[in-house]
Amino acid sequence: MRAILFGGGLSLLISLLGTRYAIRFFTRQGFGQPIRDDGPTSHHVKRGTPTMGGAVIIIATVVGYFAAKVITGSAPTASALLLLFLLVGIGAVGFLDDFLKVSRQHNLGLRSRAKMIGQTVVGLVFGVLALSPVLEDERGWRPASNHISFIRDHEGFALPMVLAILLIWLIVTGASNAVNLADGLDGLAAGCSILVFAAYTLVNIWQNSQSCALEAGPKCYEVRDPLDLAVVAAAITGACFGFLWWNASPAQIYMGDTGSLALGAAMAGFAIMTRTELLLVIIGGLFVAITVSVIIQVSVFKISRASGLFRSIFKVQPGHRVFRMTPLHHHFEMIGWEQVTIVIRFWIITGLAVATGIGIFYAEWVAGIG
């Protein structure tokens, strides 16, 4: 438990102080955020605000975690190192995307195919290692499993190794892109991420106290290294808190794809390693809703242009748009909501989603021992 407190506290301090210096450094280097021309016109005043602040979140997390291990005299575990690999690896893809944007002063960085290749390489390497028998502990537990899990692994159908790795890749790329889509207003992605990672800190602490390694009963959890995963979750939570101080409206720095892709991948990593892949859909419900809004908008727009039958059934014009603008938060901007109002209400929605997810997680355990 001391490692959790040290990890969270140190990463918060590093992020809080480090982001201040990152603002100065990126400003001097001219690493300002390009703004999409087809976005809300109110965002044009943000042009030039320093970006790539997500690098501070990643550095603060890594330093905070290893410093906590040194202070407490404990060794890093395979699960935690894999999670940090995923955070840093996907963050590096985002950093390259951000760097190309600021160096070209254009909102287009990496091509979508190149970005997907980068995410795929990191995601597949993570999946292969997480399922590898090389990383089994003395109980035969691996960092990940080849089951599709809601709250825990159940006996029954197990995916073939290839399909399990592909599922991990899908979760990693889906979650990282979902948080990336949500990073469009001051403090939105950072604030929502704090709540999600705080939830996974609690999940890992509970799984550690009820671990099957402790013979905790019939509803114990077969999760490798839950306590050390809690240290990483606390470190990311603290890093996001420190960053939010400077990212809150009016933002003095943005996390960029460096931060949003990395944070989304880390969420996926926690879901995979805690055997709560489907529970992430609830805990990260806001990110799901934002992603779905984009899918609906693009799908309806394309289908309405291509299909006369679709237009006649739904009485729409070619190129119909369901929302004023996507992602979802921009729709509310276009109908007149203030940005701060949107952010705070989305934080509230995320809080409700997290509370629901944690409630389901705990209720399943209570029902099992009742």
Side-chain angles (χ1 to χ4, degrees):
M1 294 299 292
R2 288 190 306 145
I4 295 174
L5 296 175
F6 281 130
L10 289 171
S11 63
L12 188 154
L13 185 62
I14 294 169
S15 179
L16 185 63
L17 298 178
T19 304
R20 177 182 180 183
Y21 289 101
I23 294 171
R24 297 177 180 176
F25 175 77
F26 290 147
T27 300
R28 287 198 301 268
Q29 298 299 318
F31 290 169
Q33 173 69 45
I35 302 298
R36 50 186 280 201
D37 294 329
D38 59 342
T41 56
S42 60
H43 288 213
H44 291 175
V45 297
K46 301 179 180 182
R47 191 183 306 273
T49 303
T51 187
M52 296 192 291
V56 180
I57 296 176
I58 296 172
I59 293 171
T61 298
V62 174
V63 174
Y65 169 78
F66 282 107
K69 304 305 289 183
V70 171
I71 292 172
T72 57
S74 55
T77 62
S79 297
L81 293 177
L82 268 179
L83 202 292
L84 292 176
F85 162 76
L86 187 61
L87 178 78
V88 174
I90 297 294
V93 176
F95 183 86
L96 180 58
D97 186 40
D98 285 333
F99 183 78
L100 290 176
K101 289 178 184 177
V102 297
S103 60
R104 298 170 178 172
Q105 279 303 298
H106 194 281
N107 197 50
L108 296 177
L110 283 175
R111 294 184 180 275
S112 57
R113 179 178 298 180
K115 186 186 295 186
M116 180 58 70
I117 290 174
Q119 291 173 294
T120 298
V121 170
V122 177
L124 290 180
V125 171
F126 169 80
V128 170
L129 292 175
L131 292 170
S132 172
V134 175
L135 296 183
E136 285 183 353
D137 61 12
E138 62 277 5
R139 297 174 298 271
W141 297 349
R142 303 175 187 180
S145 75
N146 56 349
H147 292 76
I148 300 176
S149 305
F150 181 45
I151 294 176
R152 65 179 73 244
D153 281 345
H154 294 280
E155 296 297 330
F157 177 72
L159 294 173
M161 188 63 68
V162 173
L163 290 182
I165 293 173
L166 289 177
L167 176 63
I168 289 175
W169 164 78
L170 180 63
I171 296 172
V172 169
T173 54
S176 60
N177 287 322
V179 178
N180 183 239
L181 289 172
D183 184 31
L185 297 179
D186 298 354
L188 177 57
C192 294
S193 295
I194 287 171
L195 296 170
V196 173
F197 287 115
Y200 273 109
T201 304
L202 296 176
V203 165
N204 280 293
I205 290 174
W206 182 254
Q207 288 183 333
N208 178 70
S209 67
Q210 301 297 321
S211 173
C212 293
L214 304 175
E215 298 182 359
K219 297 297 289 185
C220 61
Y221 300 94
E222 294 184 353
V223 175
R224 177 171 178 175
D225 313 315
L227 190 61
D228 214 27
L229 285 174
V231 178
V232 180
I236 299 177
T237 304
C240 288
F241 261 121
F243 179 78
L244 183 60
W245 180 269
W246 305 100
N247 182 238
S249 182
Q252 298 180 54
I253 190 171
Y254 300 127
M255 68 170 65
D257 285 9
T258 307
S260 59
L261 291 178
L263 292 177
M267 291 178 193
F270 280 112
I272 292 163
M273 292 186 174
T274 58
R275 316 299 197 260
T276 57
E277 294 98 333
L278 297 180
L279 188 65
L280 178 61
V281 176
I282 298 175
I283 292 177
L286 178 73
F287 298 116
V288 174
I290 289 174
T291 304
V292 170
S293 73
V294 175
I295 294 173
I296 291 174
Q297 184 86 326
V298 173
S299 299
V300 172
F301 179 82
K302 290 184 176 180
I303 295 173
S304 65
R305 293 183 65 183
S307 173
L309 178 61
F310 180 89
R311 294 195 298 269
S312 63
I313 292 175
F314 292 98
K315 302 297 189 294
V316 296
Q317 298 297 318
H320 178 73
R321 288 177 170 82
V322 177
F323 303 97
R324 295 281 186 89
M325 183 179 291
T326 56
L328 187 59
H329 41 274
H330 291 326
H331 169 77
F332 291 105
E333 278 190 276
M334 299 301 290
I335 64 175
W337 288 21
E338 294 291 336
Q339 291 188 39
V340 173
T341 301
I342 299 169
V343 170
I344 293 175
R345 288 177 177 173
F346 277 28
W347 285 353
I348 293 171
I349 293 171
T350 302
L352 293 173
V354 165
T356 301
I358 292 295
I360 293 172
F361 176 82
Y362 182 67
E364 186 269 349
W365 182 83
V366 171
I369 65 171

